[in-house]
Amino acid sequence: PIAVVIPTYNRSEILLLCLQCLEKQTWTDFQVIVVDDGSTDDTPQAVKQFQKSSALNIEYLRQENAGPARARNLAIASLRAPVCLMIGDDILASPDLVFRHLELHRRRPEMRIAGLGLTRWTENGQTVTKFMRWLDESGLQFAYDELLRGTRPGWKHFYTSNISLKTQLLQRNPFDVSFENAAVEDLELGYRLEQTHGLEVVF
């Protein structure tokens, strides 16, 4: 009923940590699609090796380096699951991540609904510096603090680090591939969806 889409580029070590967290989900009926955006490191071998020992249903796709917009489109075009959850390759998911997104879409089956999850720096395995905390709190990267204070989410909170939508909506409205890098290609899609389909983001 739900698929997790993860674009990646030259970050095999953190990608494997991401996949390990997905192995620990309380809801286990989901597919994972990893789209390798032309990595030049050991990502292909690392994912292939991980697939051998993991219970996860992982599909590995690869494209020439063209950016996360085209990578996500490649994965989404192949999906059959009605719900698509997009995360980053550096997201270490909490155990109920997939279930919480699926639960929202069961309660809100309208095509326009998007589920936005909270993204925070992990304290495990790294030191969260003052700059990282400032980046988190300033809203320059993510404006979660204003959402936690009750601000109504909209297109400017369309963060593909942790967001889910109906697959059909994404297949009909793909990411703009003229964005060749990870640079507001997600917000642009959120804006288009809000203008044309009345996108409602549920935090």
Side-chain angles (χ1 to χ4, degrees), residues 51-149:
Q51 285 176 301
K52 291 179 180 178
S53 60
S54 178
L56 286 176
N57 177 13
I58 303 174
E59 182 176 354
Y60 173 77
L61 303 177
R62 183 175 170 86
Q63 67 176 22
E64 293 298 315
N65 182 247
R70 187 179 293 275
R72 293 190 196 101
N73 287 347
L74 178 63
I76 291 165
S78 70
L79 292 187
R80 293 184 179 179
V83 176
C84 173
L85 168 57
M86 294 179 283
I87 65 174
D89 60 3
D90 58 352
I91 295 299
L92 308 182
S94 59
D96 62 346
L97 175 78
V98 173
F99 176 75
R100 293 287 293 275
H101 279 277
L102 183 60
E103 184 182 44
L104 168 68
H105 289 283
R106 283 174 168 171
R107 286 190 290 106
R108 300 293 306 273
E110 307 99 300
M111 188 68 66
R112 71 177 189 276
I113 297 299
L116 174 68
L118 180 66
T119 303
R120 281 289 193 242
W121 297 111
T122 181
E123 303 280 353
N124 296 327
Q126 69 177 352
T127 300
V128 179
T129 66
K130 289 182 180 179
F131 174 76
M132 291 163 72
R133 292 199 186 282
W134 172 81
L135 188 62
D136 209 14
E137 296 166 1
S138 66
L140 288 179
Q141 182 176 25
F142 299 128
Y144 281 112
D145 278 5
E146 66 180 37
L147 296 179
L148 292 168
R149 291 194 299 267

Side-chain angles (χ1 to χ4, degrees), residues 8-22:
T8 191
Y9 177 68
N10 282 351
R11 304 216 295 179
S12 62
E13 189 173 333
I14 189 67
L15 172 65
L16 293 183
L17 292 176
C18 172
L19 293 174
Q20 287 168 11
C21 288
L22 291 176

